[in-house]
Amino acid sequence: MARPRPSESRTTGATARGGWFTARRRAATERRDDDAGVPGTPPAPRRARLTLAGEAAAEAARAQVADEPEFPAPGDARAAAFFDLDNTVMQGAAIFHLGRGLYKRKFFRKRELVKFAWQQAYFRLAGAEHAGHMQDARDSALSIVRGHDVAELTAIGEEIYDEYMAGRIWPGTRALAQAHLDAGQRVWLVTAAPVETARIVARRLGLTGALGTVAETVDGVYTGRLVGEPLHGPAKALAVRALAEAEDLDLARCAAYSDSANDIPLLSLVGHPYAINPDSKLRAHAREMGWRLRDYRTGRKAVRVGVPAAAGAGAVAGGAMAAFALQRRRR
């Protein structure tokens, strides 16, 4: 192979010693000489300062990107992600979609469907959970399933997912969950929805599993009562802490995602809390705490995002859906 000429060796060595910034500065000097006669071009001393400022800013930006740790961290077996379901992973509340599907199969009467529809409308318009409405929906669901076989309702739940839930999964949040899976981390849903429904959603999305509200059964038949309390608010944090201990997870390396201020105990438990489609109270708290935010309902991108770029498509889709809904409401 031919040896480089002495002048080439000196140039190569200078570039290697000075790096990208040195090479760019030399090229910029040549450009300044070429542009000196162009009308409107600043005087040479100022051009030099402007060029230096621009290139220094570019180099600092590159260094900042290089210094940021990759998230989620690949291969971290002690890290995991926990996702709320209602209005975080899926638009609306799972229990309302479940009620709609059960009505279609004549599990209850029309007036009870109207009640479910009102609760769902309230949830979507308010964009937040209301304890009274959630309690009413839970009581209605328990009364409806009382006396029914668990296997029967699980099979029906699979059908209801296809009919009413699959099309309401937020693509952006789905991308976040997939990023954790691609990094080799485990991902759980954590929801107040019935655990049977939560497991169906988790399995259909390829997640690790789900934590949900457990309804009491005797000999495979629902009694119409709960085991303990619904998995809501502080109960979620307790469940995740117990799971972390059992699975040898380091919560400081884990992430949690939710839309509701009710889940502040859960979000505060992990090292990487995210507010997704947040209600007003959670949005304010997240900003105060410096938590990352992402809103797929409008496509708005919060200042502190720090989430994988793959979620961008979800923001666009969410914005289109919100615009269509607002248009219909204004007619």
Side-chain angles (χ1 to χ4, degrees), residues 15-16 25 34 59 72 77 106 120 170 209 216 228 278 292 301 325:
T15 302
R25 184 165 52 190
D34 294 339
E59 186 173 21
K106 303 186 185 303
Q120 171 71 351
W170 293 109
E216 182 184 74
R292 297 173 177 87
K301 187 176 181 181

Side-chain angles (χ1 to χ4, degrees), residues 41-252:
T41 302
R46 185 169 181 235
R47 287 204 312 272
R49 292 195 302 272
L50 290 173
T51 301
L52 184 63
E55 292 177 348
E59 186 173 21
R62 286 165 56 94
Q64 180 182 2
V65 172
D67 290 342
E68 290 179 354
E70 186 175 356
F71 183 83
D76 188 352
R78 298 196 65 202
F82 304 96
F83 284 79
D84 170 55
L85 176 58
D86 296 346
N87 214 34
T88 302
V89 171
M90 180 178 65
Q91 183 181 5
I95 196 169
F96 300 141
H97 299 315
L98 180 62
R100 185 180 177 189
L102 292 176
Y103 170 77
K104 179 181 177 180
R105 292 159 177 82
K106 303 186 185 303
F107 271 68
F108 53 93
R109 294 170 300 208
K110 188 172 183 178
R111 68 177 185 180
E112 292 169 300
L113 175 64
V114 171
K115 186 176 183 180
F116 268 103
W118 156 244
Q119 291 164 337
Q120 171 71 351
Y122 178 91
F123 187 91
R124 294 181 66 180
L125 292 175
E129 297 174 1
H130 183 279
H133 287 278
M134 299 301 289
Q135 179 70 46
D136 288 345
R138 184 168 56 250
D139 292 344
S140 297
L142 287 171
S143 65
I144 290 166
V145 302
R146 183 185 301 117
H148 285 278
D149 186 79
V150 174
E152 173 197 10
L153 287 181
T154 299
I156 291 174
E158 297 278 358
E159 299 172 1
I160 291 174
Y161 176 85
D162 291 326
E163 293 170 2
Y164 300 115
M165 300 182 187
R168 290 177 169 81
I169 302 297
W170 293 109
T173 314
R174 178 70 186 89
L176 295 177
Q178 189 61 49
H180 286 279
L181 293 171
D182 291 345
Q185 297 180 9
R186 288 164 286 179
V187 179
W188 279 277
L189 291 179
V190 188
T191 174
V195 68
E196 294 84 1
T197 301
R199 286 170 179 164
I200 291 171
V201 177
R203 181 170 50 78
R204 292 298 192 94
L205 296 181
L207 309 183
T208 307
L211 301 170
T213 298
V214 179
E216 182 184 74
T217 62
V218 175
D219 297 328
V221 176
Y222 290 107
T223 66
R225 295 185 295 270
L226 293 181
V227 177
E229 292 290 328
L231 197 68
H232 187 261
K236 288 186 179 181
L238 293 173
V240 166
R241 186 181 293 278
L243 181 65
E245 292 178 359
E247 297 289 333
D248 192 30
L249 299 174
D250 182 355
L251 288 171

